[in-house]
Amino acid sequence: MTPVPHGMPGVMFDAVAAGGGGAAALELLARAEHSRRLACAYAVTRTAGELGGAVAGEAGRAWDLLDAATRADPVAAAAVLSHPAAGPALFGLLARLVREREGKTGEETVEGTGHGGPPIRWFTALAAAAAVRAGLPGQVEWPVDGDRVALPSLGRTRFPGARPGDRARLRVTADGRSLLSLTDASGTDTDGPVPVPARGYGGTGRWQGARLLDTLDGGAPLLLDVLDHPYFPNAAPHPADLGAEETRHWETVAREACALLRADLPQAYAELAAGPLLLVPLVSRGPGQVSGSSAEAFGCVALSPPATGTTFAVTLVHETQHNKLAALLHLFDLLEPSGAERFYAPWRPDPRPLLGLFHGAYAHLGVARFWNARRASEPDPALRATAHVLFARWRLAAREATLTVLASNRLTGLGERFAGQMLTALDALCALPVPAAARHRAESAAQAHHTAWRARNGTTLRVPAREG
């Protein structure tokens, strides 16, 4: 297994900067993210080896299993490393190992039950999932942490009687069947075996996998799944599981959203269809849509249950922009190291660091493009009027933030090029005609937001922006 260097053609870089890029750009970024995670898995193994003891042995066995699964079925193993859960698990584990190495006192580090020392079990579970997908015969064990045992990209099961010191034991038989059991300190199975399906969604009996909401053009699945703690340790509140009625609602709005994007924004739809997309449900804390994404969880969008297909569609566009920029920032340095400066963001109540402002401007460029398309295709007059307002509001906000980014003196040469392409795209959107009433409502909303922000936060760097 050898990570390879990745680059991006200049034409594609500019297309991504302008808010698009299409399927080819998403596929390139996905390949780069896979290589980055493979490099991290190797770094985990090397760093654990420097620590020695039980940690080194466990990490070495996990690496060997991942390597064997990759040799047996490279596509199956890549599906595990490419799953959104793998990024937070590997990079979180590496950070823990580095801290342990820097604070090592010469005593052996032992993982034990999983409650002390770096959680190598995260790496072992990833390798075990790769073995299941590849149908690689053998057996692997790792400590459990609670009563839920997850195999990233495949799902999870519960062992209600799990106790400290218990271990998960996975067996893959010669005919490719996979069975997961709970064992006690003596090595005796105390619960299970639970059959583990080799595909990435669905489930039977005690096994719970992701729900398939829709299949996009080209066969890419749109999946819904709860979070596998601790692979997303800093996630917002989320349900432990989903009922049948809630799942049906997600299916309905997901299909509406995909149909809308396919018709109105084919390039954005092609980006969604470029690979598996995992949706993670969040708990609603009030009215309005809540959503988010993580720089290490490429291909994942977390969001509260959307009320309509349109709400769902614009959220997917918004968070896909974040996914693209986060992955691009893993390839290229667009920003110099930031200081303590905080900036006005026309969509937030709080001052934002430059990276956050850059991300928000790029996401709202996508949102403006979405509402521009909707105002042309929406048949309902009232909803079309709303689309005009939202288009005018977010093109103005994204342009203002992009000007602030450009004026920050914190951009690299590539960053100047990227933000310059953003501004060119926004200038083109700002040149499009909007009904006077809609434009007035958008400008009034922008001014009201800034007035409230100043009352709350005082003054900070803000570059005035005007449409046109």
Side-chain angles (χ1 to χ4, degrees), residues 51-56 97 100-101 104-112 116-118:
L51 285 170
V55 166
L97 287 165
E100 186 80 12
R101 182 186 62 189
K104 188 177 180 184
T105 62
E107 298 179 358
E108 180 179 311
T109 302
V110 179
E111 185 182 17

Side-chain angles (χ1 to χ4, degrees), residues 37-372:
R37 292 175 184 184
L38 180 56
C40 185
Y42 182 70
V44 162
T45 308
R46 289 291 300 270
T47 307
E50 294 171 5
L51 285 170
V55 166
E58 182 74 11
R61 289 188 291 272
W63 174 263
D64 290 343
L65 181 59
L66 180 61
D67 180 61
T70 301
R71 294 176 188 278
D73 190 335
V75 174
V80 176
L81 276 186
S82 298
H83 189 267
L90 288 170
F91 287 95
L93 175 56
L94 181 60
R96 293 275 292 272
L97 287 165
V98 169
R99 288 197 298 270
E100 186 80 12
R101 182 186 62 189
E102 292 175 349
K104 188 177 180 184
T105 62
E107 298 179 358
E108 180 179 311
T109 302
V110 179
E111 185 182 17
T113 64
H115 298 286
I120 303 296
R121 62 188 180 278
W122 297 356
F123 189 17
T124 305
L126 284 168
V132 171
R133 282 182 170 268
L136 182 68
Q139 177 175 300
V140 59
E141 297 183 8
W142 63 98
V144 299
D145 184 13
D147 63 356
R148 289 167 68 92
V149 177
L151 289 172
S153 83
L154 293 173
R156 68 208 58 80
T157 192
R158 288 190 67 237
F159 292 114
R163 297 173 300 176
D166 288 348
R167 297 173 69 83
R169 174 183 288 162
L170 174 74
R171 301 182 185 92
V172 181
T173 64
D175 60 359
R177 293 184 302 117
S178 300
L179 302 169
L180 186 65
S181 302
L182 184 72
T183 71
D184 60 19
S186 69
T188 302
D189 285 358
T190 60
D191 196 354
V194 177
V196 179
R199 68 176 185 173
Y201 50 89
T204 57
R206 292 172 59 182
W207 188 258
Q208 297 178 341
R211 276 77 163 176
L212 178 64
L213 298 182
D214 201 1
T215 301
L216 308 182
D217 293 354
L222 181 64
L223 302 171
L224 179 72
D225 202 5
V226 298
L227 297 175
D228 285 330
H229 189 80
Y231 301 106
F232 295 84
N234 299 316
H238 60 277
D241 198 9
L242 297 171
E245 183 176 349
E246 186 174 5
T247 300
R248 282 193 294 271
H249 171 73
W250 281 93
E251 290 173 348
T252 298
V253 293
R255 288 169 182 160
E256 291 174 358
C258 290
L260 185 156
L261 291 173
R262 185 189 292 110
D264 286 5
L265 288 97
Q267 186 181 69
Y269 176 80
E271 292 177 358
L272 293 180
L277 178 63
L278 178 67
L279 305 174
V280 173
L282 300 180
V283 175
S284 297
R285 290 179 166 176
Q289 184 74 54
V290 178
S291 66
S293 53
S294 167
E296 300 301 350
F298 182 79
C300 179
V301 172
L303 69 164
S304 57
T308 67
T310 300
T311 302
F312 202 170
V314 70
T315 301
L316 289 177
V317 169
H318 179 111
E319 297 300 340
T320 298
Q321 293 290 98
H322 282 304
N323 264 243
K324 286 191 292 186
L325 183 54
L328 194 83
L329 285 166
H330 290 157
L331 285 175
F332 307 109
D333 291 325
L334 303 184
L335 299 171
E336 301 288 355
S338 297
E341 304 98 330
R342 293 295 182 266
F343 302 90
Y344 170 67
W347 45 81
R348 294 276 301 214
D350 54 333
R352 299 294 290 156
L354 186 62
L355 177 60
L357 186 66
F358 200 167
H359 257 285
Y362 188 65
H364 282 84
L365 166 58
V367 170
R369 286 161 53 111
F370 174 88
W371 289 116
N372 184 42

